[in-house]
Amino acid sequence: MLEKAITGDKRYWGWIAFVLMLIGTGAIAYLRQLDQGLTVTGLSRDVSWGFYIAQFTFLVGVAASAVMVVLPYYLHNFKAFSKLTILGEFLAVPSVIMCMLFIVVDMGQPFRVQNVMLYPSLNSPMFWDMMSLSGYLFLNVVIGYMVLSSEKKGIAPPKWIKPFIIISIPWAISIHTVTAFLYSGLAARPFWMTAVLAPRFLASAFAAGPALLILIIFLMRKLTRFDAGKEAIQKLAVIATYAMCINVFLVLMEVFTTFYSGMPEHMHHFEFLYVGLHGNNTLVPWMWLSSALAVVALVLLLTPKFRKKEVILGFACIAVFVSIWIDKGLGMIVAGFTPSQMGEVVDYWPTLNEFMVSIMVWGIGLLIMSLLYKIIFTVRGETKPALEAKEDKKELTVPSN
Amino acid sequence: MKALYSFFAVIILIALAYLGITADMTTFFGLVLPYIAAAAFIFGVAYRILIWAKSPVPFKITTTCGQQKSLPWIKNSNLESPHTTLGVIGRMALEVLFFRSLFRNTKMSLKDGPKIVYGENKWLWLAGLVFHWSFLIVIIRHLRFFFEPVPEFILLIQSLDGLLEIYVPVLYMTGVALLMSVTYLYLRRALIPQINYISLISDYFPLFLIMAIAITGALMRYTPLRVDIIKVKELAMGLGSFNPVVPEGIGAIFFIHLFLISVLLIYFPMSKLMHMAGIFMSPTRNMKNDNRMKRHINPWNYPVDTHSYEDWEDEFRDVMKEAGLPLEKE
Amino acid sequence: MGIDRRKFLTIAGLTTLTTLGKTVLGSSPAGHDPIETGSQAVKRLAMAIDMQKCRQNEGCVECTKICHKIHNVPDIGNSKEEIKWIWKENFEAAFPNQHHDLLEDEIKNNQVVVLCNHCDDPPCVKVCPTQSTWKRESDGIVMMDMHRCIGCRYCVAGCPYGSRNFNFRDPRPFIKETNPEYPTRTKGVVEKCNFCAERLADGLLPACVDICPEKALIFGNINDPKSEIRQILKSRHSIRRKPILGTNPQIYYLV
Amino acid sequence: MSAKKPTPADLIQIDFNPGKKDWMDAKIDFEKKRGNWNYQVLPKSAEYVGMPYPRKWSPADEDWKLPDNWQKIIFEGLRDRLDKYRSFKIFMDICVRCGACADKCHFFIGSGDPKNMPVLRAELLRSVYRNDFTAAGKIFGSLAGGRKLTVDVLKEWFYYFFQCTECRRCSVFCPYGIDTAEITMMGRELLDLVGLNIDWIGTPIANCHRTGNHLGVQPHGFKDSIDFAVDDLEDITGVRAEAPINKKGAEILFVIPSADYFGDPHYFGLLGYIALFHEIGLDYTFSAYASEGGNFGLFHSNEMMKRLNGKIYNEAKRLGVKWILGGECGHMWRVLHQYMDTMSGPADFMEEPVSPITGTKFENSKSTKMIHICEFTADLIKHNKIKLDKSRNDQWRVTYHDSCNPARAMGLLDEPRYVINGVCNHFFEMPENTIREQTFCCGSGAGIGTDENFEMRMRGGMPRANAVQYVHEKHNVNLLACICAIDKATLPPLMEYWVPEVEVGAIHELVGNALVMKGEKKDRTDLRGEPFVGTETAGKEEEANV
Amino acid sequence: MYDASKIILGILIFLVLATSPFWYSKATGQSDYLPDPVILTKDTPGKDVCVMPTDYMRSSHMDLLNDWRNSVVRDGERKFVSPNGHEYKKSLSNTCMDCHANKTEFCDKCHNYMAVDDQTCWSCHVEPKEEL
């Protein structure tokens, strides 16, 4: 089955070559970071986590969102998702790997990463996060692989896989919860120290993940013979809609609590994000863009007429995804550090080098996802013939179903 | 049973070396035997290759694992069914470096139905690949004992191998990988009924031998059984440059390690381990599938007795005539 | 002969172990302890900073200078990557909760010495995923093991006082004069004030305490009712940085 | 005296666990194993082609009447072959018994007999080689995996080397490319040295040597068959085709396996060829002398293969053709592709093959000058040189069985598929681990497709049949197309046994069906005489009216 | 012999690789080089003996250093009593390097010879200034 990933037409190999080129370019930037240290990033003693950790946080959400197809299918027997579960699981796999890589590239001493296992520290949420992420990776690899290979063999998946699938559902919730605990347990950072952080993370994940999945389905429909079916897409859209509602709701809760109570330590962070603080407006336009997109997305999604039009749904999904990416992937982490414990506002924006390293990690994720999806579609006989073959009047192979 | 034989054979070898060292036979174990072993290995392997080379390859019997080169608009698979030299080199490179054929491995199982299903089975490929690559890197790392000054590429490989900062002295990943993979290779022989059935003593022996070599090596690096490696290098340099010396006071564990390596080297040319050289000479893999394009010469192609047309026509002339078939001679 | 050697090694190893054992178990380490324990209570080292005294010498940075010198703290010259073990901070920044507009100018406009608070309940220790930072049982100092630190900077995020410093780059080129007796750090690890643990072991006081021309820094075992620091805290009003966070800082500021 | 035929339900009870007993124990009870081995070669046939020690004996006998010095003969033969074949020598030395080949053999999958694992089949011979030809074996004997050559070992060779169809599937998976077919071939040559061979190989060889084809059809019989086919084709299509025989000066010599003009369903393929050649106006000739493309010599010995193979080039030279076209056959193409040029070449009296219809140069056979009919037809279809009506094959839902030799010794994979896709609408592939280079043998190749061997054939064919069953159930497939004469002979009983309702057919039968011929009659049928789907309903209505 | 050119080339490559230590030693002429670490003692009276016997130190000094590192950093144990009763401060820079004051002439000699990377120590610990 794995060999499906290394057979393909020119279009496929062209894409893989492109992704490898991205990775290679990013790797050069990473080597530079290894050599010179994290000074090549925009990070500072005040804003000590930035783009890398923000990407990590965002991607944990993408990974966790697989549960939004797994749960309806396996617990509620929602048949329309039968073809989607593996897509979800094989989206979770590269996402978790990217999460781990973003942590590694953020480390000052990446070659000591194994110390987390060698000296397990039960009091550190980071230890638990690593445990839950690797567990989730393991679960998704095993489940996705076993289900797909059984599908290929034309037999029912082995019985022992069922408990794994059931466990994977709460496990998905756990990865994003523990990730929220990384932040929300810090007394030093009032912005994060809120009980709704984990629910907010989950709500945003369950909006962004299904939105991404819908976009992937649209893309795959263009590139392959795969079709998830209208029902599945609409159900995903509904999931994204309500998750987005809850997400926006929770953000508004935060805003109320912060500003009505009027505690300056809490307010400053929101001020920094939405109006700027001490003359620093770096994130202000972004955050308003995010809010605007959220509003647009909600209007489009909540109106059934729009939601059911696939073109509009596509736009809405892009709006959801980008809105949440800005919120989590840009704002969430930096705002926690701004203002600093000393009340200072230190400007942070990722450097080119930092951005390139992120490209490397995204590239590795894309590569893994491409390989895995290639395997899925080849096994299911859903690949489209190469362009050359299309020009040819007679196709060499005829699909077996 | 067969595994036990091999296991005890290796234990006995270890005991032999130990007794020999306590009996102060360091010159034998440190100099004489290594030279014998190196000679046996080098000349043995070369000899075996020459013996193979003595036999011709009378026919071009490529196993074609992909589409042949035929019509211009049918895509030829030049790596699986190569028709050019470059294709053959590519195919061989994939075989030698990445075990291409083993990567294809499947596992058949018979389900009710009856239905035969073919599952993926990449563990042997993975373990084999890990085993051979880590063994190679371990050997390259050991060249630091034989080369002075130590060349850059060895330093580079060493530092990459010890990239993860675990333990002092730093834990080499290939060492762990080697031991894990060789253990897997043993376990599959022990536990999978069919593999167990086909395994011979000579399949277990090298596994245990390599395992013992790796373990003694690890003991010397990571435990208080450590030896003075300056002296070891002195000995190794002496061996390599033919100015042999056996420095005093290297621990017995080193001589056991060296003795087991010597045994492996001597054993190598007379065993299945020759697959190292054989893979390059396997006619089903290293030949082009250009049979109909280019004539292959069989050096012993002797004439044989065929039924010639003339004889044949003589035999059937009457019936042919009757049937109105054209004839050479009326 | 190999065997003989091995035997010897075993013996040597055992000897080491026994001596180790003795020193570990032995009640009082050799050398003279400047911090008399005085009672059975567990030792808890703390520092009191007399802001009044400190204020008197405006512009004095002797403590910073000596500390950074003996600990090979680099001077990166870039506020974003600065590494500081002990330094002076605006009152408002150090005590955001104590600040108000009507505060005496003397206090409001002056700077206070800040350093790692060696909290009794240190958040940095809680979050560290590798136990590279921990609170020493014997005297409560929050220690760091640079050999183990993976540079994840969770502690930086967790510390409410900005006391933790990350080495964004190789610090060595930025150390003017290296003290060979103390290691430098490598790039990619976190570092901070260690209460001069290495000097304490030699029976010396922390360098900052020693050097302060105003004798504004008082150091001692807070669990010893007879100690100087205990006495002074009893007699003077003191505040601590962000006590509301529950970290229980062990640097006391005498108002 | 043939054994009782077991039912599919019996056969499918397969135990793959080999147990703990040491495999070097060689004793085989032939009487008990009836249905799994083949009858001995008849002395008459053996004598005719000069096989050694022709005699009356039977595998079921205790005494095989071996020559007194049989061991010496085998050892000398073994040494001789080690010196002649590098492949053999290397394959004896480098196997590491990794077991990757074990469950790749159709006989092992079908029987569970551990000695049908390719590795162990080779070890039967390898153990003897180790014992007497290697230093380690001479010193350590059985500790080094050596085994003495006893009569029981020899009998075991006979049993298992005639239980291998030389299909080479194992060699695809072997990390060193060890080809058990090579070892089986050597094993069979050695057995032949002491007069141990089977009749299904010996007699066709004798026939072929004498008359030119395995079936022993004499020239006039051959002409009758071809003429009959031409008449048949006229009945079906209303078109009278020419099918010249032994025509001097023809451009192309056309060589087919003899089963094509005698066997069913091969015969429909023959009709297809004749129709196609007529339609494109090809200048070709059959030969009554080279009336056999197949070569059972391949299953006997290299020397015998060469003896039988010579006639093709001889005849091409005599008739003065420009190049040779070969019909649908499996092992025939192994010989033609991998051996003929080396054995009987160089074919410098011919020209590099060029299709007279499309002008395509067949550069891949510029030395051997022989091209495969599928290459030829695929080229015609690609260039739109023939008019095809795919719907004329709508009665068939087709799957394609890659015959072992064209797949694994030739790499002929996409050409047949191209032709099938060009002539029919419903084509379905079997599961991917059972097609192309991983294709499964019919279980009856390499000269062991006999009735007395029925049980083993059904076992060996089971993996193939199982894959057909898969597409039969999933896609309602009802035709198994193939391009091998042995397949066409042995797959029908295999299908009948495992997957009734699936027919077997030649690719060129499908081509013949789809071919719209100039001047064909209105009510033409397919080559089996069945009305085309669609026209058939019209016919039925007529019937109803009557 | 058949395919002689290819096979002989292959065998030659094998032979050269297998005997490369010999050719390399001929090329560099360094085969009999042996490191001669020099001990340049700083003026530290009374410390003319090493903390452990030479044999042990030659093979296992990293064990000792690792042990010291852990006990000093993690347990605050800074005293070491040698087998012959001397007491030392556990410190690479302040104890070891007092006697072995010349890293290039002492540590590096063997470390270079054996290609053992010691950057893990010296990227933080400060090597003494070499005055000679």
Side-chain angles (χ1 to χ4, degrees), chain D residues 155-374:
Chain D
K155 288 182 173 180
E156 197 186 33
W157 286 7
F158 179 85
Y159 186 76
Y160 287 106
F161 288 140
F162 289 104
Q163 232 169 61
C164 165
T165 46
E166 304 179 359
C167 78
R168 309 179 100 203
R169 188 169 192 263
C170 49
S171 96
V172 168
F173 294 90
C174 176
Y176 316 118
I178 295 176
D179 182 4
T180 306
E182 283 288 298
I183 294 163
T184 296
M185 285 156 91
M186 295 301 135
R188 288 184 178 188
E189 286 199 13
L190 293 176
L191 288 166
D192 185 66
L193 291 179
V194 291
L196 300 179
N197 220 314
I198 63 170
D199 195 50
W200 195 244
I201 293 173
T203 297
I205 285 174
N207 285 340
C208 191
H209 191 64
R210 174 159 178 259
T211 64
N213 57 67
H214 293 147
L215 300 176
V217 179
Q218 298 188 5
H220 58 296
F222 177 74
K223 184 167 188 303
D224 281 353
S225 303
I226 300 293
D227 288 348
F228 186 78
V230 170
D231 293 344
D232 236 7
L233 190 66
E234 190 179 8
D235 285 349
I236 291 167
T237 64
V239 179
R240 179 80 194 168
E242 286 258 325
I245 299 171
N246 288 11
K247 176 182 156 193
K248 279 204 173 178
E251 188 179 358
I252 296 157
L253 169 64
F254 185 46
V255 178
I256 52 174
S258 53
D260 276 5
Y261 49 89
F262 252 80
D264 178 355
H266 312 62
Y267 178 67
F268 308 118
L270 176 68
L271 296 181
Y273 304 142
I274 296 175
L276 177 70
F277 295 160
H278 168 81
E279 194 55 27
I280 59 176
L282 197 69
D283 177 17
Y284 76 106
T285 179
F286 286 102
S287 162
Y289 168 62
S291 54
E292 176 66 83
N295 190 332
F296 271 46
L298 172 69
F299 311 141
H300 178 274
S301 63
N302 275 308
E303 184 176 310
M304 193 61 81
M305 174 181 9
K306 188 177 170 186
R307 285 173 68 184
L308 299 185
N309 175 254
K311 60 180 183 274
I312 295 179
Y313 276 162
N314 286 347
E315 186 68 345
K317 198 171 186 176
R318 184 183 74 85
L319 296 174
V321 299
K322 286 185 184 160
W323 51 274
I324 313 170
L325 185 60
E328 296 181 6
C329 189
H331 77 276
M332 153 177 159
W333 272 100
R334 169 109 204 252
V335 177
L336 300 177
H337 186 77
Q338 293 198 329
Y339 295 101
M340 178 166 76
D341 206 4
T342 302
M343 287 180 159
S344 314
D348 44 14
F349 49 86
M350 286 187 281
E351 291 172 13
E352 205 175 308
V354 176
S355 168
I357 317 301
T358 64
T360 301
K361 252 193 183 178
F362 291 96
E363 286 183 1
N364 64 329
S365 45
K366 64 183 171 212
S367 170
T368 305
K369 276 109 180 167
M370 183 150 184
I371 65 173
H372 193 284
I373 183 76
C374 283

Side-chain angles (χ1 to χ4, degrees), chain A residues 39 45 48 106 124 182 341, chain C residues 80-81 127 153-154 159 165:
Chain A
T39 181
R45 58 174 288 124
S48 55
D106 186 66
S124 174
L182 277 182
Q341 304 99 330
Chain C
K80 278 188 156 188
E81 296 180 8
V127 299
R153 308 189 297 296
Y154 202 2
C159 173
N165 309 271

Side-chain angles (χ1 to χ4, degrees), chain A residues 4 152 393 396 398 400, chain D residues 384 418 421 427 432-433 475:
Chain A
K4 302 293 172 224
K152 175 170 178 275
K393 266 174 278 161
L396 275 179
V398 162
S400 50
Chain D
N384 281 319
Y418 189 85
N421 277 312
F427 173 57
E432 61 173 347
N433 293 105
H475 304 296

Side-chain angles (χ1 to χ4, degrees), chain A residues 76-91:
Chain A
H76 299 282
N77 207 11
F78 182 66
K79 290 286 185 227
F81 281 176
S82 67
K83 293 181 89 179
L84 278 184
T85 53
I86 290 184
L87 258 60
E89 280 145 5
F90 279 1
L91 174 62

Side-chain angles (χ1 to χ4, degrees), chain C residues 72-77 81 169-177:
Chain C
N72 292 325
V73 175
D75 179 13
I76 307 283
E81 296 180 8
R169 58 175 86 201
D170 180 12
R172 281 196 166 176
F174 302 94
I175 302 169
K176 275 188 208 86
E177 201 183 326

